[in-house]
Amino acid sequence: MKQIQQAQKAKKKKKRTQLPFRLNVLFFAVFLLFSALILRLGVIQIVYGEQYRKEVERTENVTVNTPAPRGKIYDRNYQVVVDNEPLHAITYTRTQTTKPSEMIEVAKKLATYIEKPTDRVTERDIKDYWILTNEEKAKQKITEKEWKQFRAKKLKDKDIYQLQLERITEEDVKMIKEKELEVVAIFREMNSGYALTPQMIKNEGVTDEEYAVVSEHLEELPGIDVTTDWNRHYAFGDTFRTVLGNITSSEEGLPREKLDYYLARDYNRNDRVGKSYIEAQYEDVLRGQKAKIKNVTDKAGNIIETIEMSQGQRGKDIVLTIDMELQQRVEKIIEEELMTMKRRGGTELLDRAFVVMMDPNTGEILSLAGKRYTRDENGKVVLKDYALGTITSAYAMGSAVKGATVLTGFQTGVIHPGTVLIDEPLYIKGTPTKKSHSGIRPGPMNDLKALEMSSNVYMFKTAIAIAGSTYRPHQALPIKKEAFSIMRRYFNQFGLGVKTGIDLPGEIIGWPGQSTLPGHLLDLAIGQFDVYTPIQMAQYVSTIANGGYRIQPHVVKEIREPISEKNQMGNVIYSFEPKVLNRVDMKTEYIERVREGFYRVMHGSNGTARAFFANAPYDPAGKTGTAQAFYDGPIKSRRMTPTYNLTLVGFAPYNNPEVAFAVVVPWVYQNAKNHYPINNYIGRKILDAYFELKKQRQLGQPSSTESLNNDEETMER
Amino acid sequence: MENEKTTQTKIDYHLLFILFLIAVVSAIAIESARETLPAKLQHINFAQKQLMWYAIGAVVVAVTMLFDYDRLFKIAWYLYGFGMILLLGLELNVPGTVTIKGATSWYSLPGGNFQPSELMKIFMIIVISRIIVNHREKYHDPTLQDDLKLLGKIALSLLPPLFLLARQPDMGMSMVFMAIAGSLILVSGIRLRIIAAIAGLAVLGATAFIVAFLYFPDVLKIKQYQLNRFYGWLNPYEYASEQGFQLVKSLLAIGSGELYGKGYKNLDVYLPESHTDFIFSIIGEQFGFIGASIVVSLFFLLIYRMIQIALECHDPFGSYLCAGVIGMITFQVFQNVGMTIGLLPITGLPLPFVSYGGSSLATYMLAIGLVLNVRSRTQKFMFSAEQ
């Protein structure tokens, strides 16, 4: 019994002693773990502490610095059209921790070194500045009661600020206006940027002296830097200026409507980007690769080292298809002819003229010119560049489109090469008498003659046949409504009434007429119903010139690697290949027939443009147009006045066309007695200019650009 | 009469004093982090709120003191069942569950989010303690088989909550549960051979796990973020901008504190939401090696006191409860501090008593309540056989 008890006791004892032992083991384990922590802390904080501290004191800021210049733009002969002009610039970059008081300090100092225009400073800027610099006074603007409300969270920071803004007196504003307006102007620019993004303080009119003084005092102006900004320089002045487009200023920064697009592509908000035409269309290409610089600073903001992460690179260069010398000459011709015409009577509505010249085989635009006659603020006559009108405005083109009408007739089978129709006045019930112009005596004629003499009635009869109808004098003319869409479908194949696909933004397609009256179908056949753009006319005549290929016109020929050597070109990165949009689904012989008709316009005994082109050595072909149209220009009171548009399309040489062109001069005169073929004058002169330049270049004569540049002054009227 | 008096004097003021010091550390550390918090959190006075949670915690302690802990022995399985129901609710996504960063671990309560696994930790301690006590009573002289049987029982009680935690998923919490079980197994009296074998297997398993983790993540169905934590831990500098970011920042913060620290509120290294999981980093940065060591020492003292209580307790159940709490707190401190200094991979475990957070603080206070309770019911028998 006792033994058992003892045994149990021993067991209990054993158990008793076991638990404390195990608890001690647990405690020992805890001790080990915590010792490990202390040991590791010691290693980190004592052994490596200094290294860690040094690393903390180094702060690295990746800043995108030095804006890289944009790519240059050259013309087809590699003459610089758009260049970059270096500008002195003063920038400010703030860090995430920069306080407003520090910025004001810098602004005040900087104001003593530079002149800063103050015209962009707003009342609000001044008030914001006042609150920042007069903290105590600003506090007093708020009543005790309002502070109580603020503490009770009934008023928010925002409300308090608003109240302060409202209560700043005229006097307070005046004080600042007198003494510190320039500081406000500088502070405003500093504050408009984002942290770590260099912000332009001044990039226009920074004098060498300012630049030097600021450079000397950079030490005391933390965040301020002197760099180079770039302005676009246009070697040919206003020539082709509107098509080249513009870039935004650093104040404008990224255009709001495309903000997300640009930000996603690593742009800064104050970056300058192309905002119109070629600059905008080829932004990706022209954009410079910014140099990325990593500034390693200590806590005080002193730069310890600067590491160049990636080198900046100028944007890629663009080579245009435009021949700038030709362009200059063409523009000059348009200006001269416009002025000549304006000096003649009865041309008060005339204010514009367009020329498009392109290579019908490749679609390269050689010249895209337009001029607008207008007056500046002082009432002085100026001729503004309006080259964009060639793609953004449309007009009734008249008989110039007859080539398309004849071809539609051939293809629909209602006429054939050689079909003879009688030219006679058409009397259709409910429609004014439809007839050809007075130069044509009624009688039979074939397709060639019809083109040569520009017979309206031949076209009318063709259109009537397409519409599946028959002409009966003095009776109504029933037509198939589809006739409109049939004709337009064929016209579209030549580029009339569709986008030509030119590589510029904003191209319009013109407007098809809405009515389906029979008389309007006849008008459509002679180009007096639907309206087309000058570039469409150029594409149309190119399609006839090259035997039926509708080619996409383009103004950019090549993209090249930027290189720093002057007078040399970088490697070609991309070269635009001719792009055939469609092959006109007509027999080659039909197109050949119309080409022949076009030849006769300029060479035939009755050719409408014979007087101007028969003696041209380069064998041109083409088609004139005189449209009876309605005025639709800027003078509102004269809208819908009947007027005449004069047009001319053509190509040369006849056998192997290398240049196709369209001349469009809308609203020339209202009365036919004032007729003066400005279209033909311009047409002849631009072709002469083209072939003359070609000859000069073949002979290796020096470029005449300089002499032309000098002429600019005399051109001003 | 005598009895009653002893009960009253048996409130352990040592433990409470240590806890008070830790609360002071917590308030100072949280307040110091205030200016580095994101703007949307700036206006919240977290230090004040934390003290409020301490006050609530004190009430929790007081309430736990009302009952004799022996009663817990009786209701252990009910508590366990209650905890499991709460965890199951999360698994079944009953209304009121909250999912944060992909883990469904919370219920939405009026005072804030409540994490049932926190409560389950305490229940787990109670249940395993009861299992051990029952086993010991049944087998006075346990054989090897009996030991293994006990091990099996503990494992069986542990598996269901572990499974549900893995489903949430909450790896950090699962590890806390294993730490609790581990410390209890250690003190349960199971043969050291077995424990050594388990430890060996655990090391082997962990090694295999890490190898599989890094080279065959597909097999383990590891989520990318979990993998990234490991990469960040093993090579923080290479992953500095991504996964290792927090570790690199934490090391910078602590390391740059050096021996004496930079001083109160002198924080140069930005750590996201430093008032919670990374509070130890900013302590190390501001108060240096000395400050950080004092905090670790405070925890060590806390545990030392708990060990003492466990040793003085004559009732094995009380000792086991203490051992479980010790395991829980030790592991969490080691894990949290360890992750800030690169000893362990980063998990979302807060630093007990110091990190800001109501529901975890309430749980630790509950644990403290348990220990105090054990202490207060311990009779000092003058005729004790202990020598």
Side-chain angles (χ1 to χ4, degrees):
Chain A
M1 192 69 187
K2 208 176 185 182
Q3 268 190 344
I4 295 170
Q5 266 183 351
Q6 265 184 347
Q8 272 182 343
K9 207 177 174 185
K11 257 182 209 164
K12 258 193 182 161
K13 197 177 173 187
K14 190 187 164 200
K15 199 194 147 205
R16 278 252 170 81
T17 50
Q18 195 185 30
L19 184 58
F21 171 70
R22 290 296 175 88
L23 280 169
N24 280 319
V25 171
L26 179 65
F27 184 57
F28 185 65
V30 174
F31 174 75
L32 283 184
L33 289 177
F34 280 36
S35 302
L37 291 182
I38 301 274
L39 195 68
R40 174 83 179 158
L41 273 172
V43 170
I44 292 176
Q45 298 192 286
I46 300 171
V47 181
Y48 294 111
E50 201 179 337
Q51 282 179 29
Y52 280 118
R53 190 194 47 173
K54 279 188 178 155
E55 201 172 324
V56 169
E57 285 174 0
R58 280 163 61 111
T59 48
E60 297 190 344
N61 305 326
V62 180
T63 51
V64 200
N65 225 333
T66 50
R70 287 172 79 80
K72 298 181 185 180
I73 301 178
Y74 294 89
D75 86 338
R76 67 185 293 114
N77 301 312
Y78 304 116
Q79 299 199 59
V80 180
V81 180
V82 183
D83 205 343
N84 298 304
E85 198 174 49
L87 280 180
H88 289 321
I90 295 166
T91 63
Y92 178 74
T93 313
R94 69 183 157 92
T95 63
Q96 290 103 322
T97 54
T98 310
K99 296 192 181 85
S101 56
E102 290 167 4
M103 289 165 68
I104 287 172
E105 193 76 3
V106 172
K108 279 182 176 163
K109 276 185 198 154
L110 188 61
T112 61
Y113 300 134
I114 64 167
E115 292 286 319
K116 171 75 187 170
T118 54
D119 44 332
R120 281 175 16 105
V121 176
T122 63
E123 183 100 1
R124 174 66 193 255
D125 291 332
I126 295 175
K127 286 183 173 173
D128 286 337
Y129 180 82
W130 189 89
I131 291 176
L132 273 173
T133 49
N134 295 283
E135 215 171 302
E136 275 309 307
K137 283 190 202 165
K139 264 187 192 161
Q140 287 163 17
K141 300 264 179 202
I142 304 299
T143 64
E144 201 47 50
K145 199 177 150 201
E146 282 157 351
W147 278 123
K148 245 181 212 163
Q149 282 179 307
F150 175 70
R151 280 190 288 270
K153 289 178 183 166
K154 275 180 196 156
L155 282 175
K156 289 179 186 149
D157 285 341
K158 202 173 65 185
D159 304 321
I160 292 283
Y161 197 81
Q162 196 56 43
L163 284 173
Q164 286 175 334
L165 279 181
E166 282 165 16
R167 289 173 194 173
I168 293 173
T169 59
E170 293 278 319
E171 201 68 0
D172 297 332
V173 173
K174 218 174 128 195
M175 282 275 284
I176 296 220
K177 262 190 184 163
E178 278 164 12
K179 288 183 186 160
E180 292 177 291
L181 197 55
E182 201 176 22
V183 180
V184 180
I186 292 172
F187 179 67
R188 166 183 204 282
E189 303 295 347
M190 285 175 154
N191 220 3
S192 60
Y194 292 77
L196 297 179
T197 307
Q199 194 64 27
M200 281 293 167
I201 300 297
K202 189 176 180 187
N203 65 349
E204 270 167 45
V206 178
T207 63
D208 289 341
E209 202 193 329
E210 283 178 342
Y211 193 77
V213 171
V214 173
S215 305
E216 277 169 29
H217 293 88
L218 284 181
E219 281 286 297
E220 55 180 270
L221 298 166
I224 295 286
D225 201 2
V226 285
T227 61
T228 310
D229 192 19
W230 304 91
N231 239 3
R232 290 303 234 181
H233 173 73
Y234 302 92
F236 287 83
D238 250 0
T239 306
F240 203 52
R241 187 66 189 77
T242 53
V243 181
L244 293 172
N246 283 315
I247 59 173
T248 60
S249 67
S250 49
E251 285 98 41
E252 286 173 287
L254 301 179
R256 187 165 299 171
E257 66 276 11
K258 288 181 84 178
L259 192 63
D260 292 337
Y261 172 88
Y262 283 124
L263 287 180
R265 280 159 184 76
D266 221 11
Y267 281 81
N268 287 341
R269 280 170 194 264
N270 62 346
D271 276 350
R272 307 177 63 179
V273 298
K275 66 173 174 187
S276 55
Y277 297 97
I278 291 179
E279 295 271 21
Q281 184 88 357
Y282 289 97
E283 172 65 29
D284 303 351
V285 176
L286 290 167
R287 170 198 188 188
Q289 197 79 48
K290 279 181 270 189
K292 275 199 179 161
I293 292 173
K294 189 184 201 172
N295 286 328
V296 182
T297 57
D298 64 9
K299 245 179 14 183
N302 301 316
I303 292 172
I304 304 169
E305 59 180 320
T306 302
I307 309 160
E308 195 168 63
M309 305 284 285
S310 65
Q311 239 182 353
Q313 200 186 30
R314 183 157 63 82
K316 297 179 189 77
D317 294 338
I318 279 180
V319 179
L320 299 177
T321 60
I322 304 288
D323 182 335
M324 283 306 277
E325 273 179 69
L326 179 66
Q327 177 78 17
Q328 278 186 319
R329 292 196 185 200
V330 167
E331 289 189 12
K332 201 174 163 198
I333 290 163
I334 296 174
E335 285 177 357
E336 282 168 1
E337 290 302 323
L338 260 181
M339 291 313 290
T340 311
M341 198 69 206
K342 285 300 278 187
R343 278 195 288 272
R344 297 173 66 91
T347 57
E348 67 272 15
L349 294 182
L350 171 67
D351 72 343
R352 61 192 67 189
F354 304 100
V355 167
V356 180
M357 296 178 83
M358 66 188 261
D359 183 332
N361 307 303
T362 61
E364 290 173 8
I365 304 268
L366 304 171
S367 171
L368 193 72
K371 286 285 167 185
R372 260 186 81 174
Y373 175 98
T374 178
R375 287 175 193 278
D376 63 13
E377 314 84 81
N378 308 322
K380 198 173 153 236
V381 168
V382 282
L383 288 165
K384 276 199 180 154
D385 188 39
Y386 190 39
L388 290 172
T390 55
I391 61 168
T392 60
S393 64
Y395 310 94
M397 295 299 183
S399 316
V401 305
K402 281 176 182 166
T405 309
V406 170
L407 280 167
T408 307
F410 288 160
Q411 187 59 25
T412 49
V414 299
I415 55 172
H416 303 281
T419 297
V420 174
L421 297 170
I422 312 286
D423 191 314
E424 56 185 337
L426 302 184
Y427 304 100
I428 298 166
K429 203 173 173 185
T431 304
T433 308
K434 294 270 179 194
K435 55 185 181 186
S436 295
H437 63 87
S438 53
I440 299 178
R441 260 176 292 135
M445 62 173 64
N446 70 0
D447 48 339
L448 288 180
K449 208 77 190 161
L451 284 174
E452 179 183 335
M453 299 173 71
S454 197
S455 161
N456 287 346
V457 176
Y458 195 94
M459 305 301 147
F460 293 154
K461 289 192 166 171
T462 303
I464 290 168
I466 292 170
S469 183
T470 319
Y471 165 65
R472 292 188 189 83
H474 305 291
Q475 288 191 15
L477 184 70
I479 59 159
K480 291 193 293 193
K481 293 270 191 300
E482 312 90 84
F484 280 94
S485 51
I486 292 170
M487 285 192 63
R488 282 184 182 134
R489 199 172 67 232
Y490 284 105
F491 276 38
N492 287 352
Q493 288 190 20
F494 293 95
L496 295 174
V498 287
K499 281 198 182 183
T500 62
I502 188 168
D503 53 345
L504 287 174
E507 187 190 1
I508 63 162
I509 59 168
W511 297 276
Q514 295 304 312
S515 142
T516 50
L517 294 174
H520 286 140
L521 182 70
L522 305 190
D523 289 342
L524 179 64
I526 59 164
Q528 303 207 121
F529 189 52
D530 289 358
V531 295
Y532 310 114
T533 60
I535 188 78
Q536 286 174 355
M537 295 302 282
Q539 189 175 49
Y540 147 73
V541 74
S542 292
T543 309
I544 289 174
N546 67 26
Y549 298 92
R550 183 163 83 96
I551 300 230
Q552 179 180 10
H554 56 97
V555 293
V556 171
K557 190 178 176 190
E558 291 164 356
I559 293 170
R560 283 177 179 260
E561 207 71 74
I563 54 167
S564 48
E565 286 87 0
K566 281 204 162 178
N567 305 320
Q568 274 187 45
M569 298 301 294
N571 295 332
V572 175
I573 301 169
Y574 187 77
S575 180
F576 285 83
E577 298 295 324
K579 189 173 170 197
V580 177
L581 298 172
N582 59 273
R583 166 80 171 91
V584 177
D585 58 355
M586 287 169 193
K587 287 186 192 163
T588 316
E589 53 182 281
Y590 292 165
I591 291 170
E592 207 41 57
R593 186 82 180 167
V594 171
R595 290 184 85 229
E596 199 184 332
F598 276 23
Y599 185 77
R600 291 198 180 197
V601 170
M602 295 193 167
H603 298 277
S605 53
N606 294 315
T608 52
R610 172 194 163 75
F612 292 87
F613 294 98
N615 62 352
Y618 38 78
D619 226 11
K623 181 76 194 79
T624 56
T626 308
Q628 283 174 283
F630 296 98
Y631 179 70
D632 185 27
I635 312 169
K636 289 211 171 83
S637 59
R638 302 293 297 273
R639 291 256 164 95
M640 299 314 286
T641 307
T643 174
Y644 287 89
N645 296 348
L646 297 187
T647 61
L648 175 70
V649 294
F651 53 90
Y654 174 65
N655 281 321
N656 194 12
E658 58 180 71
V659 58
F661 68 95
V663 178
V664 177
V665 193
W667 318 317
V668 187
Y669 44 79
Q670 294 88 269
N671 195 327
K673 75 172 172 17
N674 291 322
H675 179 71
Y676 174 84
I678 181 175
N679 50 344
N680 294 340
Y681 279 110
I682 292 178
R684 174 67 198 252
K685 285 185 176 175
I686 59 171
L687 280 183
D688 284 354
Y690 174 84
F691 285 101
E692 202 180 296
L693 269 174
K694 186 183 167 195
K695 202 166 144 196
Q696 269 178 19
R697 289 192 181 123
Q698 275 169 350
L699 295 173
Q701 278 177 0
S703 129
S704 56
T705 317
E706 277 169 83
S707 63
L708 270 162
N709 274 343
N710 293 339
D711 282 350
E712 265 180 3
E713 275 167 297
T714 54
M715 273 157 58
E716 274 181 11
R717 288 157 225 246
Chain B
M1 281 308 281
E2 185 69 32
N3 235 345
E4 219 172 24
K5 201 188 167 205
T6 46
T7 310
Q8 271 182 359
T9 51
K10 280 286 178 59
I11 290 174
D12 193 281
Y13 292 105
H14 301 280
L15 192 69
L16 284 178
F17 181 65
I18 297 167
L19 191 63
F20 168 74
L21 291 180
I22 294 179
V24 171
V25 167
S26 172
I28 292 173
I30 290 173
E31 176 59 26
S32 74
R34 194 169 176 183
E35 280 163 29
T36 67
L37 295 181
K40 59 172 174 155
L41 299 178
Q42 286 275 348
H43 64 281
I44 304 172
N45 191 339
F46 283 111
Q48 207 181 346
K49 285 183 86 172
Q50 178 79 343
L51 289 177
M52 191 194 78
W53 280 111
Y54 262 107
I56 294 171
V59 176
V60 172
V61 170
V63 171
T64 38
M65 293 291 280
L66 289 178
F67 309 96
D68 194 318
Y69 71 89
D70 272 351
R71 299 200 184 169
L72 294 173
F73 184 85
K74 296 185 186 96
I75 60 165
W77 287 106
Y78 297 103
L79 293 173
Y80 181 84
F82 175 62
M84 280 306 288
I85 288 168
L86 290 178
L87 288 181
L88 265 173
L90 293 177
E91 169 68 18
L92 299 175
N93 253 321
V94 297
T97 56
V98 179
T99 303
I100 299 171
K101 288 174 188 163
T104 311
S105 311
W106 294 268
Y107 284 108
S108 178
L109 286 187
N113 288 342
F114 160 70
Q115 195 173 0
S117 49
E118 292 278 4
L119 214 50
M120 191 64 191
K121 286 193 291 201
I122 307 291
F123 298 161
M124 204 68 226
I125 293 171
I126 297 170
V127 158
I128 297 180
S129 298
R130 185 188 149 121
I131 290 173
I132 300 171
V133 170
N134 281 343
H135 190 82
R136 284 278 162 257
E137 266 169 20
K138 211 164 159 191
Y139 305 95
H140 288 298
D141 200 3
T143 58
L144 186 66
Q145 266 107 335
D146 296 337
D147 276 0
L148 287 175
K149 210 184 237 174
L150 175 58
L151 202 59
K153 284 182 194 167
I154 294 174
L156 272 179
S157 69
L158 189 60
L159 278 177
L162 272 190
F163 172 75
L164 290 177
L165 283 174
R167 298 271 304 166
Q168 285 183 4
D170 192 341
M171 201 164 94
M173 196 58 88
S174 312
M175 280 154 68
V176 176
F177 274 67
M178 287 197 268
I180 289 170
S183 60
L184 280 167
I185 289 168
L186 180 65
V187 296
S188 69
I190 291 177
R191 280 170 174 74
L192 281 176
R193 273 180 287 168
I194 302 178
I195 293 172
I198 295 171
L201 274 175
V203 170
L204 208 71
T207 315
F209 186 68
I210 290 175
V211 170
F213 213 113
L214 297 178
Y215 298 103
F216 311 103
D218 304 346
V219 181
L220 292 171
K221 290 192 177 160
I222 306 266
K223 298 232 165 67
Q224 189 59 42
Y225 80 93
Q226 291 173 321
L227 197 60
N228 290 344
R229 277 181 181 171
F230 262 75
Y231 286 138
W233 170 48
L234 293 173
N235 197 351
Y237 290 94
E238 196 169 307
Y239 288 86
S241 57
E242 296 148 46
Q243 301 82 33
F245 172 79
Q246 285 176 312
L247 178 52
V248 167
K249 289 288 178 182
S250 171
L251 283 174
L252 271 181
I254 294 179
S256 63
E258 294 183 274
L259 185 56
Y260 301 108
K262 299 174 185 171
Y264 182 57
K265 287 207 173 181
N266 285 336
L267 294 164
D268 296 327
V269 182
Y270 174 73
L271 274 161
E273 300 207 25
S274 48
H275 63 308
T276 56
D277 293 0
F278 279 91
I279 196 146
F280 191 77
S281 308
I282 63 167
I283 291 174
E285 186 177 6
Q286 295 174 97
F287 307 109
F289 176 72
I290 293 174
S293 303
I294 288 175
V295 174
V296 173
S297 305
L298 278 178
F299 280 111
F300 187 68
L301 280 178
L302 187 76
I303 297 201
Y304 171 70
R305 186 65 207 151
M306 288 184 184
I307 293 271
Q308 274 189 327
I309 291 170
L311 283 171
E312 283 170 16
C313 178
H314 305 286
D315 174 16
F317 182 60
S319 300
Y320 294 147
L321 288 181
C322 291
V325 172
I326 290 165
M328 175 178 89
I329 293 177
T330 304
F331 178 78
Q332 295 214 16
V333 171
F334 185 68
Q335 163 61 38
N336 180 277
V337 174
M339 81 180 184
T340 62
I341 55 180
L343 272 183
L344 291 172
I346 289 172
T347 56
L349 286 180
L351 185 60
F353 303 109
V354 180
S355 288
Y356 174 77
S359 89
S360 71
L361 184 58
T363 312
Y364 300 125
M365 292 303 269
L366 193 59
I368 290 289
L370 270 188
V371 175
L372 285 175
N373 197 320
V374 169
R375 170 72 183 155
S376 70
R377 317 286 166 187
T378 299
Q379 319 275 319
K380 280 211 167 162
F381 301 111
M382 297 310 289
F383 49 89
S384 166
E386 269 180 293
Q387 277 98 32

